[in-house]
Amino acid sequence: MDQEQRPGRRTVLGAAAALGAGAVVLGGGAGTAAAAQRGQATEYGHGHGGSGGSYKDLPVPTVIGHRGACGYRPEHTFGSYQFALDNGADVIEQDVVPTKDGHLVCRHENDITATTDVASRPEFASRKTTKTVDGEAHTGWFTEDFTLAELKTLRAKERIPGNRQHNTLYDGVWQVPTFEEVLKWADEQGRKRGRRIWLHVETKHPTYFRKAGLGLEERLAKLLRRYNRSGRNGYTFLQSFEPSSLQRLGRLGIDCPKVLLLDDLTTQPWDFTEAKDPRKVADLITPEGLKWVSGFAQGIGPWVNLIIPRDKNDKLTKPTTLVRDAHAAGLILHPYTMRNENSFLPADFRRGTDPNAYGDALAAFKTYFATGIDGIFSDNCDTAVLARDAFLKG
């Protein structure tokens, strides 16, 4: 997902925000009790119930390695995926976009300007262009203009070097992985560990790509079937900001648990915009809207500010009723995205004046866990696991 980047666009933290207070006190203890109860059945929070391979067997709160462990390695590389798996992530996330010749590759966006060395490659200088993707103009280089063979000549790099200069150490180490290579990696890691590896796969800009003749869902469905991940207990979540993408996957017979991603209240899924459907995210998180979502998905992935809004000073306010309402509709919640750096944390948890230094992320995690969420996307899965363990122990 990408919408969660808005807080990170600040270049300077206000002095008052940088010297924020400690954890926010949430009204009532019901969220804490409920989350802990769901997580006490077995070690590390296994407690949803159900049979092997069901998402109901995952630890609660579930730690999802956001683009792997991109707090420590360049995102969507095998270095990032491996670090996340080795450091406690329960589920590893991939975003998939297509190449010109129809292969699915793992990139957060089809614009690869910031995540590869393509801008320094003279042989591809003529590929630089401006495209409108989901209503926004982007200038750079795009996966759909490269064959897989061409894309494999590029090397991955850190997307936000200003925030994570330490990650630039790994610039050029890894290639852009195909989704099929990730599936093979997951199978190999599963054999080594004696258990299957959970994945959380997002279809990026599915309406845009379908109009370009590069529909994602059929390609994704084919690979999921090939690697025995297309069923209800296939150790794979499917996620998208576009409801129609999840619905299409369902019509293709893919029975994996599906998670609808939700941006800010005033935004609209792009497929709604294209179809002139007037509903916005604010409509989808009402009890009526959530009931509609439950007809094709098993969960939602809301922006964390939909769980606990922030005030004008970027401090947390009172939690909304979204967790309660989603659970009442039978939906789990996997909000996005928690990061350790001050610039991404609510002002309550920032420490010092360096926006790129770590704040009190442990307290921030525990505050979100106390709302009763079922999992969370994090760039720093080791921090998330440590916070979960402390939260469950009370």
Side-chain angles (χ1 to χ4, degrees):
M1 62 277 305
D2 51 354
Q3 283 83 342
E4 82 279 10
Q5 290 301 327
R6 276 189 300 262
R9 288 174 181 167
R10 300 181 191 86
T11 56
V12 179
L13 292 173
L19 297 172
V24 172
V25 178
L26 302 177
T32 306
Q37 184 178 17
R38 284 196 304 276
Q40 286 177 346
T42 60
E43 187 180 14
Y44 297 121
H46 292 266
H48 268 304
S51 59
S54 169
Y55 69 91
K56 295 179 180 180
D57 290 323
L58 281 165
V60 179
T62 304
V63 173
I64 305 158
H66 186 232
R67 309 175 202 169
C70 59
Y72 309 106
R73 301 289 188 272
E75 64 187 41
H76 289 312
T77 61
F78 280 116
S80 185
Y81 296 149
Q82 191 68 52
F83 192 98
L85 187 60
D86 290 345
N87 285 274
D90 305 304
V91 185
I92 314 296
E93 186 204 27
Q94 297 77 45
D95 299 308
V96 294
V97 293
T99 63
K100 183 178 182 178
D101 47 349
H103 295 275
L104 295 183
V105 294
C106 297
R107 290 288 88 188
H108 171 238
E109 289 291 342
N110 53 325
D111 182 352
I112 55 173
T113 309
T115 61
T116 72
D117 62 355
V118 66
S120 67
R121 304 292 289 272
E123 66 270 33
F124 297 128
S126 64
R127 307 278 179 96
K128 187 176 184 180
T129 187
T130 297
K131 298 191 178 193
T132 299
V133 181
D134 295 1
E136 295 185 2
H138 299 269
T139 299
W141 288 262
F142 298 83
T143 59
E144 65 267 29
D145 295 331
F146 291 77
T147 65
L148 179 59
E150 290 172 329
L151 202 62
K152 280 295 188 178
T153 68
L154 304 178
R155 311 302 290 190
K157 68 175 186 177
E158 172 57 35
R159 180 178 59 86
I160 48 173
N163 297 96
R164 292 170 175 169
Q165 193 279 331
H166 55 279
N167 279 10
T168 64
L169 172 66
Y170 305 101
D171 286 357
V173 173
W174 294 288
Q175 293 180 322
V176 173
T178 67
F179 182 56
E180 184 165 19
E181 287 171 341
V182 172
L183 292 170
K184 291 178 179 178
W185 167 83
D187 280 354
E188 178 185 0
Q189 293 299 315
R191 286 190 293 271
K192 288 180 178 179
R193 287 167 166 76
R195 60 177 175 84
R196 294 198 72 187
I197 307 303
W198 272 90
L199 304 177
H200 214 304
V201 187
E202 180 182 350
T203 57
K204 300 294 297 190
H205 311 299
T207 294
Y208 168 84
F209 284 120
R210 182 160 296 280
K211 292 177 73 173
L214 290 167
L216 299 175
E217 292 83 4
E218 291 80 6
R219 291 171 169 85
L220 180 56
K222 182 178 179 180
L223 287 170
L224 292 173
R225 288 194 179 95
R226 182 180 300 169
Y227 288 86
N228 194 28
R229 286 181 174 270
S230 63
R232 184 172 304 176
N233 296 331
Y235 296 85
T236 304
F237 289 98
L238 298 175
Q239 53 173 325
S240 183
F241 279 99
E242 297 188 24
S244 62
S245 183
L246 299 179
Q247 292 167 331
R248 184 180 295 273
L249 284 162
R251 290 195 299 270
L252 289 169
I254 304 303
D255 199 24
C256 304
K258 300 173 181 68
V259 175
L260 179 64
L261 301 172
L262 298 167
D263 193 10
D264 204 2
L265 290 171
T266 60
T267 64
Q268 187 176 51
W270 185 251
D271 54 344
F272 281 19
T273 301
E274 291 270 342
K276 303 190 184 318
D277 186 324
R279 289 176 296 171
K280 298 187 181 335
V281 168
D283 301 303
L284 297 181
I285 64 171
T286 64
E288 181 182 7
L290 293 167
K291 182 179 179 181
W292 178 78
V293 172
S294 71
F296 61 87
Q298 287 67 48
I300 57 172
W303 184 32
V304 289
N305 285 20
L306 298 182
I307 304 292
I308 312 178
R310 301 186 190 187
D311 65 18
K312 64 181 181 180
N313 296 314
D314 225 19
K315 290 193 173 185
L316 295 183
T317 62
K318 182 181 178 180
T320 68
T321 63
L322 181 55
V323 174
R324 182 193 69 194
D325 294 343
H327 284 160
L331 298 166
I332 61 171
L333 298 95
H334 287 172
Y336 64 90
T337 303
M338 277 292 295
R339 301 175 169 93
N340 286 358
E341 293 90 354
N342 278 323
S343 57
F344 300 113
L345 288 169
D348 314 76
F349 306 104
R350 296 170 189 163
R351 297 294 177 263
T353 58
D354 181 356
N356 300 317
Y358 281 4
D360 190 1
L362 289 171
F365 271 112
K366 286 188 270 188
T367 298
Y368 286 109
F369 290 158
T371 65
I373 59 175
D374 301 275
I376 198 159
F377 287 87
S378 176
D379 290 7
N380 308 90
C381 53
D382 53 344
T383 308
V385 171
L386 187 64
R388 177 181 65 194
D389 291 350
F391 173 74
L392 292 176
K393 289 176 182 176

